[in-house]
Amino acid sequence: MQGAIFDLDGTLVDSMPMWDAISGDYLRSQGIQPREDLFEHTRLMNLHQSAVYFQQAYGLALSVPEIAHGVNALLANFYQNVVQAKAGVRE
């Protein structure tokens, strides 16, 4: 075998709650309290669409690439320092 493709998120690591929370976590990191319906607005958006939404709905004065970089930094921290393997996954 030369390679394999597998589903990491939610299969090997317990990352699904992070995906539900990332938009709110990012906005809070920018000093903005997200509305309760944030997840409903962003759950089907890609990163670019979410960044535009943050600008329009929350008045975030950063560029789309700056917002994307900030979200990606939160994701990187999560995967490097927080995420845990699911029960039964070998090291």
Side-chain angles (χ1 to χ4, degrees), residues 12-86:
L12 297 179
V13 296
D14 190 17
S15 59
M16 298 313 291
M18 181 272 313
W19 288 106
D20 293 345
I22 191 69
S23 292
D25 291 347
Y26 176 74
L27 289 171
R28 281 187 288 279
S29 79
Q30 298 301 305
I32 298 170
Q33 183 59 40
R35 296 181 200 99
E36 290 184 22
D37 63 353
L38 175 64
F39 179 71
E40 291 305 313
H41 286 284
T42 59
R43 68 185 182 94
L44 298 177
M45 292 181 181
N46 63 32
L47 183 54
H48 178 86
Q49 292 166 329
S50 294
V52 171
Y53 178 75
F54 294 162
Q55 290 174 325
Q56 294 172 348
Y58 290 91
L60 198 55
L62 299 171
S63 70
V64 168
E66 288 171 325
I67 295 168
H69 178 78
V71 171
N72 282 329
L74 288 178
L75 292 169
N77 180 65
F78 176 80
Y79 281 105
Q80 292 170 358
N81 301 306
V82 178
V83 73
Q84 298 292 313
K86 291 185 89 172

Side-chain angles (χ1 to χ4, degrees), residues 1 3-9 11-13 89:
M1 178 168 60
I5 297 173
F6 58 91
D7 182 6
L8 175 76
D9 287 319
T11 303
L12 297 179
V13 296
V89 175

